[in-house]
Amino acid sequence: PELDKGAVTESECKIAMEHILELERASVSVIQRRMRIGYNRAAAIMDELESRGLVGPQPTDPDEPRAILAEKPEADEEDETE
């Protein structure tokens, strides 16, 4: 079987979520600019993130960003327990 070149990789999802959580804005344009990829690829990644329940659906107003459903990992948590 031939590899689906359009399939979104785990690595792409992880990188996209890192940018979304860092900027606190979930949009295709954020993914495009930060990952330096085209609109179609960024939209496919956003669709995958939505299907995984990490971001919400596109709001009715296209100027509004999607809701971020994933939580930002707490880097300082380990420091507080020591």
Side-chain angles (χ1 to χ4, degrees):
E2 196 171 313
L3 179 65
D4 180 7
K5 293 180 183 177
V8 175
T9 67
E10 187 65 33
S11 175
E12 288 174 317
C13 286
K14 183 178 179 185
I15 292 167
M17 277 310 299
E18 287 172 1
H19 291 305
I20 288 168
L21 291 170
E22 176 188 342
L23 297 174
E24 298 179 352
R25 184 170 176 86
S27 68
V28 172
S29 63
V30 163
I31 294 173
Q32 275 185 273
R33 287 192 309 272
R34 287 304 188 106
M35 295 178 70
R36 297 180 182 200
I37 58 177
Y39 175 83
N40 289 339
R41 191 73 189 154
I45 293 169
M46 184 62 78
D47 288 345
E48 180 64 23
L49 296 176
E50 181 182 346
S51 73
R52 294 182 182 195
L54 299 173
V55 298
Q58 176 65 46
T60 308
D61 180 355
D63 293 332
E64 276 189 50
R66 295 171 182 245
I68 302 171
L69 306 176
E71 293 186 18
K72 192 172 189 176
E74 294 295 328
D76 300 329
E77 239 176 60
E78 288 181 13
D79 295 338
E80 292 174 9
T81 58
E82 293 178 10

